[in-house]
Amino acid sequence: MAFAALVPLSGESSHDLSDRLVSLLREWDDDGSCTASRRDVQMALTALGLRVDLQSLDGLFEAMSSDGDGRLRYDALGRMLKQGAARVDHHRDLD
């Protein structure tokens, strides 16, 4: 999922938002599975003040839920978002 699909409503960096997202999902992880459902991720993004593109969220889960159970590892999500954010930040620096 392109991080551009998640539009920050604050001035916070994409890297910091990724960290906060993973922290929030970890806090909500009652069973210790280190995974999150689509609904969990959507609620966490909204709680962090991000507008959620539902088509991008669907695509994210299709791509990252390798066993098709509709859950993804939130640590992997955090790494992926940071990598995407780094690419976006690099392109901004080039402008």
Side-chain angles (χ1 to χ4, degrees):
M1 169 186 355
F3 207 74
L6 308 174
V7 179
L9 300 179
S10 70
E12 198 168 7
S13 76
S14 298
H15 191 275
D16 290 341
L17 284 169
S18 296
D19 286 342
R20 289 184 54 217
L21 174 62
V22 170
S23 293
L24 186 56
L25 291 170
R26 185 176 292 121
E27 182 180 323
W28 290 352
D29 186 8
D30 293 334
D31 64 1
S33 66
C34 296
T35 63
S37 69
R38 181 186 182 283
R39 186 176 186 323
D40 292 338
V41 172
Q42 182 178 357
M43 288 174 38
L45 291 169
T46 301
L48 293 174
L50 298 173
R51 186 174 60 224
V52 181
D53 175 354
L54 297 179
Q55 288 180 327
S56 293
L57 193 58
D58 288 341
L60 171 75
F61 272 81
E62 286 176 25
M64 292 190 71
S65 180
S66 59
D67 61 3
D69 70 350
R71 300 184 69 78
L72 54 81
R73 293 192 54 86
Y74 49 76
D75 56 344
L77 173 63
R79 282 192 303 274
M80 192 246 349
L81 291 176
K82 284 181 184 179
Q83 289 170 352
R87 284 193 296 273
V88 169
D89 291 341
H90 174 72
H91 288 294
R92 284 186 190 146
D93 292 341
L94 295 177
D95 290 339

